[in-house]
Amino acid sequence: MVAYTAFSSLLFASLAVASPHKQSKPPAFFLAGDSTTAVQSTGGGGWGNGFLATLKSPAFGVNKGHNGATTVSFVDGGDWKQVLDLVKNATSKYDVYVTIQFGHNDQKPAKNITMEAFKANLETLTGEVKQLGATPLLFTSLARRNFNGTDLKQDLADVVPATREAAAKAKVQLIDLNVASRKYVQAIGQANADKYNLVEGDRTHLNDHGSVVFGRIVADLLVKSDKNLGKWIEKNATLSRLIADGKYA
Protein backbone atom coordinates (compact mmCIF):
# COMPACT_ATOMS: atom_id res chain seq x y z
CA MET A 1 0.00 0.00 0.00
CA VAL A 2 2.87 2.34 0.88
CA ALA A 3 4.59 1.49 -2.40
CA TYR A 4 1.36 2.12 -4.32
CA THR A 5 0.86 5.47 -2.57
CA ALA A 6 4.42 6.49 -3.36
CA PHE A 7 4.00 5.43 -7.00
CA SER A 8 0.71 7.32 -7.25
CA SER A 9 2.28 10.47 -5.85
CA LEU A 10 5.14 10.19 -8.33
CA LEU A 11 2.73 9.58 -11.21
CA PHE A 12 0.57 12.61 -10.40
CA ALA A 13 3.67 14.76 -9.95
CA SER A 14 4.99 13.74 -13.37
CA LEU A 15 1.60 14.44 -14.97
CA ALA A 16 1.59 17.88 -13.43
CA VAL A 17 4.96 18.61 -15.02
CA ALA A 18 4.10 17.02 -18.36
CA SER A 19 0.66 18.66 -18.62
CA PRO A 20 0.94 22.32 -17.57
CA HIS A 21 -1.72 24.84 -18.52
CA LYS A 22 -0.20 25.07 -21.95
CA GLN A 23 -0.50 28.34 -23.83
CA SER A 24 -0.36 28.31 -27.62
CA LYS A 25 2.32 30.42 -29.24
CA PRO A 26 1.24 33.83 -30.51
CA PRO A 27 0.53 33.97 -34.24
CA ALA A 28 2.63 35.64 -36.90
CA PHE A 29 0.97 36.51 -40.19
CA PHE A 30 2.97 36.93 -43.37
CA LEU A 31 0.89 38.30 -46.24
CA ALA A 32 1.63 37.23 -49.81
CA GLY A 33 -0.36 38.71 -52.64
CA ASP A 34 -0.91 41.43 -55.19
CA SER A 35 -1.78 45.12 -54.80
CA THR A 36 -5.14 44.33 -53.18
CA THR A 37 -3.16 43.03 -50.21
CA ALA A 38 -0.30 45.51 -50.38
CA VAL A 39 0.56 48.66 -48.45
CA GLN A 40 -1.13 51.85 -49.71
CA SER A 41 1.06 53.48 -52.36
CA THR A 42 0.86 54.90 -55.86
CA GLY A 43 -1.02 52.30 -57.90
CA GLY A 44 -1.70 49.91 -55.06
CA GLY A 45 -3.26 49.42 -51.68
CA GLY A 46 -5.26 46.64 -50.09
CA TRP A 47 -6.61 45.15 -46.87
CA GLY A 48 -3.23 44.02 -45.49
CA ASN A 49 -2.24 46.88 -43.22
CA GLY A 50 -5.78 47.32 -41.95
CA PHE A 51 -5.79 43.69 -40.86
CA LEU A 52 -2.32 43.77 -39.31
CA ALA A 53 -3.36 46.75 -37.18
CA THR A 54 -5.89 44.49 -35.41
CA LEU A 55 -3.22 42.16 -34.02
CA LYS A 56 -2.44 42.20 -30.30
CA SER A 57 1.23 42.08 -29.31
CA PRO A 58 3.21 39.85 -29.24
CA ALA A 59 1.31 38.65 -32.31
CA PHE A 60 2.56 40.47 -35.38
CA GLY A 61 2.61 40.39 -39.15
CA VAL A 62 4.45 41.59 -42.25
CA ASN A 63 2.72 42.74 -45.42
CA LYS A 64 4.65 41.46 -48.46
CA GLY A 65 1.89 42.22 -50.98
CA HIS A 66 3.40 43.47 -54.25
CA ASN A 67 1.73 45.74 -56.77
CA GLY A 68 1.09 43.97 -60.07
CA ALA A 69 2.11 40.56 -58.76
CA THR A 70 0.97 37.24 -60.17
CA THR A 71 1.59 33.74 -58.87
CA VAL A 72 4.51 33.67 -61.31
CA SER A 73 6.11 37.10 -60.82
CA PHE A 74 5.84 36.92 -57.03
CA VAL A 75 8.10 33.87 -57.13
CA ASP A 76 10.38 34.89 -59.97
CA GLY A 77 10.94 38.37 -58.53
CA GLY A 78 12.07 37.07 -55.14
CA ASP A 79 9.08 38.11 -53.03
CA TRP A 80 8.13 34.55 -52.23
CA LYS A 81 11.63 33.76 -50.99
CA GLN A 82 11.34 36.71 -48.63
CA VAL A 83 8.08 35.31 -47.29
CA LEU A 84 9.60 31.85 -46.78
CA ASP A 85 12.61 33.38 -45.02
CA LEU A 86 10.26 35.18 -42.64
CA VAL A 87 8.52 31.86 -41.97
CA LYS A 88 11.79 30.05 -41.25
CA ASN A 89 12.85 32.71 -38.76
CA ALA A 90 9.54 32.75 -36.89
CA THR A 91 8.32 29.17 -36.49
CA SER A 92 10.24 28.49 -33.29
CA LYS A 93 8.46 31.27 -31.37
CA TYR A 94 5.21 31.77 -33.28
CA ASP A 95 2.36 29.87 -34.86
CA VAL A 96 2.98 31.08 -38.39
CA TYR A 97 0.24 31.75 -40.94
CA VAL A 98 0.86 32.72 -44.55
CA THR A 99 -2.05 34.38 -46.32
CA ILE A 100 -1.98 33.86 -50.09
CA GLN A 101 -4.21 35.99 -52.31
CA PHE A 102 -3.65 36.28 -56.05
CA GLY A 103 -5.87 36.51 -59.10
CA HIS A 104 -6.35 40.15 -60.09
CA ASN A 105 -3.31 40.07 -62.35
CA ASP A 106 -3.13 36.35 -63.12
CA GLN A 107 -6.39 36.68 -65.08
CA LYS A 108 -5.00 39.34 -67.43
CA PRO A 109 -4.48 37.92 -70.97
CA ALA A 110 -1.08 39.61 -71.26
CA LYS A 111 0.23 37.51 -68.35
CA ASN A 112 -0.48 34.30 -70.31
CA ILE A 113 -1.38 32.31 -67.20
CA THR A 114 -4.06 29.66 -67.71
CA MET A 115 -6.45 28.84 -64.91
CA GLU A 116 -4.94 25.36 -64.68
CA ALA A 117 -1.50 26.93 -64.22
CA PHE A 118 -2.93 29.40 -61.71
CA LYS A 119 -4.38 26.58 -59.61
CA ALA A 120 -1.15 24.58 -59.83
CA ASN A 121 0.86 27.63 -58.72
CA LEU A 122 -1.38 28.14 -55.69
CA GLU A 123 -1.04 24.48 -54.75
CA THR A 124 2.75 24.76 -54.97
CA LEU A 125 2.82 27.84 -52.74
CA THR A 126 0.64 26.25 -50.09
CA GLY A 127 2.73 23.08 -50.17
CA GLU A 128 5.95 25.00 -49.57
CA VAL A 129 4.41 26.74 -46.56
CA LYS A 130 3.32 23.41 -45.11
CA GLN A 131 6.81 21.97 -45.55
CA LEU A 132 8.15 24.69 -43.26
CA GLY A 133 5.68 23.83 -40.50
CA ALA A 134 3.47 26.87 -41.06
CA THR A 135 -0.21 27.19 -41.98
CA PRO A 136 -1.17 28.45 -45.44
CA LEU A 137 -4.45 30.35 -45.77
CA LEU A 138 -5.69 30.59 -49.35
CA PHE A 139 -7.80 33.70 -49.98
CA THR A 140 -10.22 34.31 -52.81
CA SER A 141 -9.63 37.72 -54.39
CA LEU A 142 -10.90 40.93 -52.84
CA ALA A 143 -13.92 42.12 -54.84
CA ARG A 144 -13.57 44.95 -57.30
CA ARG A 145 -16.16 47.64 -56.71
CA ASN A 146 -17.63 48.00 -60.21
CA PHE A 147 -21.41 48.13 -60.57
CA ASN A 148 -23.71 47.60 -63.51
CA GLY A 149 -26.61 49.73 -62.40
CA THR A 150 -27.44 48.50 -58.91
CA ASP A 151 -25.72 45.12 -59.33
CA LEU A 152 -22.09 44.53 -58.44
CA LYS A 153 -20.20 42.99 -61.33
CA GLN A 154 -18.40 39.70 -60.84
CA ASP A 155 -15.30 40.37 -62.91
CA LEU A 156 -13.23 37.78 -61.05
CA ALA A 157 -15.42 34.89 -62.13
CA ASP A 158 -12.48 32.80 -63.35
CA VAL A 159 -9.89 33.17 -60.58
CA VAL A 160 -12.30 32.93 -57.63
CA PRO A 161 -13.58 29.39 -58.34
CA ALA A 162 -10.05 28.39 -59.39
CA THR A 163 -8.79 29.46 -55.95
CA ARG A 164 -11.52 27.45 -54.24
CA GLU A 165 -10.60 24.40 -56.30
CA ALA A 166 -6.91 24.82 -55.46
CA ALA A 167 -7.70 25.01 -51.74
CA ALA A 168 -9.84 21.87 -51.91
CA LYS A 169 -7.19 19.94 -53.82
CA ALA A 170 -4.37 21.07 -51.55
CA LYS A 171 -6.52 20.47 -48.46
CA VAL A 172 -5.82 23.91 -46.99
CA GLN A 173 -8.04 26.47 -45.28
CA LEU A 174 -9.98 28.68 -47.69
CA ILE A 175 -10.83 32.21 -46.60
CA ASP A 176 -13.58 33.33 -48.98
CA LEU A 177 -12.84 37.04 -48.98
CA ASN A 178 -14.48 37.47 -52.37
CA VAL A 179 -17.89 36.39 -51.08
CA ALA A 180 -17.62 38.50 -47.93
CA SER A 181 -16.36 41.62 -49.68
CA ARG A 182 -18.91 41.29 -52.50
CA LYS A 183 -21.75 40.98 -50.01
CA TYR A 184 -20.68 44.14 -48.21
CA VAL A 185 -20.01 46.21 -51.34
CA GLN A 186 -23.32 45.14 -52.90
CA ALA A 187 -25.15 46.20 -49.74
CA ILE A 188 -23.62 49.69 -49.51
CA GLY A 189 -23.90 50.53 -53.22
CA GLN A 190 -21.65 52.31 -55.70
CA ALA A 191 -21.62 55.78 -54.13
CA ASN A 192 -20.52 54.53 -50.72
CA ALA A 193 -18.15 51.93 -52.17
CA ASP A 194 -16.36 54.72 -54.08
CA LYS A 195 -15.42 56.32 -50.76
CA TYR A 196 -12.91 53.50 -50.31
CA ASN A 197 -11.15 54.17 -53.64
CA LEU A 198 -7.41 54.81 -53.48
CA VAL A 199 -7.88 57.60 -56.02
CA GLU A 200 -10.91 58.77 -57.92
CA GLY A 201 -12.12 56.10 -60.34
CA ASP A 202 -9.92 53.33 -58.89
CA ARG A 203 -12.41 50.69 -57.82
CA THR A 204 -9.82 47.97 -57.26
CA HIS A 205 -7.46 49.43 -54.66
CA LEU A 206 -8.26 50.72 -51.18
CA ASN A 207 -7.38 53.94 -49.41
CA ASP A 208 -6.31 53.91 -45.75
CA HIS A 209 -9.88 53.89 -44.46
CA GLY A 210 -10.83 51.15 -46.90
CA SER A 211 -7.92 49.09 -45.61
CA VAL A 212 -9.29 49.38 -42.07
CA VAL A 213 -12.79 48.32 -43.12
CA PHE A 214 -11.79 45.42 -45.36
CA GLY A 215 -9.02 44.48 -42.94
CA ARG A 216 -11.78 44.07 -40.35
CA ILE A 217 -13.64 41.79 -42.74
CA VAL A 218 -10.49 39.67 -42.98
CA ALA A 219 -10.01 39.69 -39.19
CA ASP A 220 -13.58 38.53 -38.60
CA LEU A 221 -13.29 35.82 -41.24
CA LEU A 222 -10.12 34.49 -39.61
CA VAL A 223 -11.67 34.39 -36.14
CA LYS A 224 -14.69 32.63 -37.58
CA SER A 225 -12.39 30.05 -39.20
CA ASP A 226 -10.33 29.53 -36.04
CA LYS A 227 -11.77 30.65 -32.69
CA ASN A 228 -8.32 30.36 -31.08
CA LEU A 229 -7.21 33.40 -33.07
CA GLY A 230 -9.79 35.52 -31.28
CA LYS A 231 -7.54 36.28 -28.32
CA TRP A 232 -4.89 37.71 -30.64
CA ILE A 233 -7.15 39.89 -32.79
CA GLU A 234 -8.58 43.11 -31.38
CA LYS A 235 -12.36 43.29 -31.56
CA ASN A 236 -14.24 46.23 -33.03
CA ALA A 237 -17.86 45.36 -32.36
CA THR A 238 -19.21 48.57 -33.89
CA LEU A 239 -17.37 48.14 -37.18
CA SER A 240 -18.12 44.42 -37.34
CA ARG A 241 -21.81 45.09 -36.79
CA LEU A 242 -21.98 47.77 -39.49
CA ILE A 243 -20.33 45.39 -41.95
CA ALA A 244 -22.61 42.49 -40.98
CA ASP A 245 -25.65 44.74 -41.37
CA GLY A 246 -24.50 45.96 -44.78
CA LYS A 247 -24.18 49.58 -43.69
CA TYR A 248 -21.44 51.96 -44.80
CA ALA A 249 -18.68 52.19 -42.22
Side-chain angles (χ1 to χ4, degrees):
M1 184 66 174
V2 174
Y4 176 77
T5 302
F7 174 76
S8 298
S9 300
L10 181 61
L11 175 61
F12 287 126
S14 66
L15 286 174
V17 173
S19 305
H21 294 294
K22 189 175 181 180
Q23 297 290 326
S24 61
K25 293 183 286 186
F29 290 89
F30 302 129
L31 316 185
D34 55 35
S35 57
T36 62
T37 298
V39 175
Q40 277 57 40
S41 64
T42 301
W47 54 265
N49 277 24
F51 163 66
L52 294 181
T54 71
L55 298 178
K56 300 177 184 177
S57 182
F60 80 105
V62 180
N63 189 350
K64 299 302 293 183
H66 190 136
N67 294 356
T70 68
T71 51
V72 175
S73 70
F74 198 81
V75 174
D76 290 348
D79 296 291
W80 184 240
K81 182 181 182 302
Q82 292 179 32
V83 171
L84 295 184
D85 286 343
L86 287 168
V87 173
K88 292 173 187 175
N89 291 330
T91 49
S92 63
K93 295 182 179 179
Y94 296 88
D95 287 331
V96 178
Y97 297 82
V98 178
T99 71
I100 301 170
Q101 184 213 269
F102 292 96
H104 279 266
N105 301 303
D106 292 77
Q107 70 171 184
K108 295 177 179 178
K111 301 300 182 181
N112 198 31
I113 300 172
T114 67
M115 285 302 99
E116 288 306 311
F118 175 64
K119 287 189 286 186
N121 294 343
L122 292 177
E123 291 165 30
T124 297
L125 298 180
T126 59
E128 291 179 357
V129 172
K130 284 182 178 180
Q131 287 176 357
L132 294 178
T135 301
L137 301 170
L138 204 49
F139 278 56
T140 54
S141 294
L142 178 73
R144 296 190 184 112
R145 301 176 302 282
N146 296 308
F147 282 74
N148 182 10
T150 59
D151 294 326
L152 183 65
K153 295 180 181 178
Q154 176 51 294
D155 45 14
L156 293 158
D158 49 359
V159 293
V160 168
T163 303
R164 293 182 185 128
E165 291 170 21
K169 186 172 180 181
K171 294 182 173 58
V172 300
Q173 179 70 52
L174 177 77
I175 305 298
D176 209 336
L177 178 58
N178 187 261
V179 163
S181 56
R182 279 183 58 80
K183 181 180 179 182
Y184 177 64
V185 173
Q186 176 67 63
I188 64 173
Q190 185 75 82
N192 281 325
D194 283 349
K195 296 175 184 178
Y196 299 131
N197 293 353
L198 182 71
V199 295
E200 185 177 356
D202 181 351
R203 291 168 172 163
T204 297
H205 304 111
L206 299 169
N207 57 26
D208 288 334
H209 181 57
S211 185
V212 170
V213 173
F214 288 87
R216 171 51 52 185
I217 292 176
V218 168
D220 291 346
L221 287 172
L222 288 174
V223 173
K224 185 177 180 179
S225 73
D226 184 350
K227 295 293 190 294
N228 292 323
L229 291 175
K231 66 181 178 181
W232 301 109
I233 294 177
E234 197 75 50
K235 292 182 176 64
N236 185 332
T238 300
L239 181 53
S240 294
R241 175 48 54 191
L242 287 170
I243 293 168
D245 289 345
K247 297 179 180 178
Y248 173 75

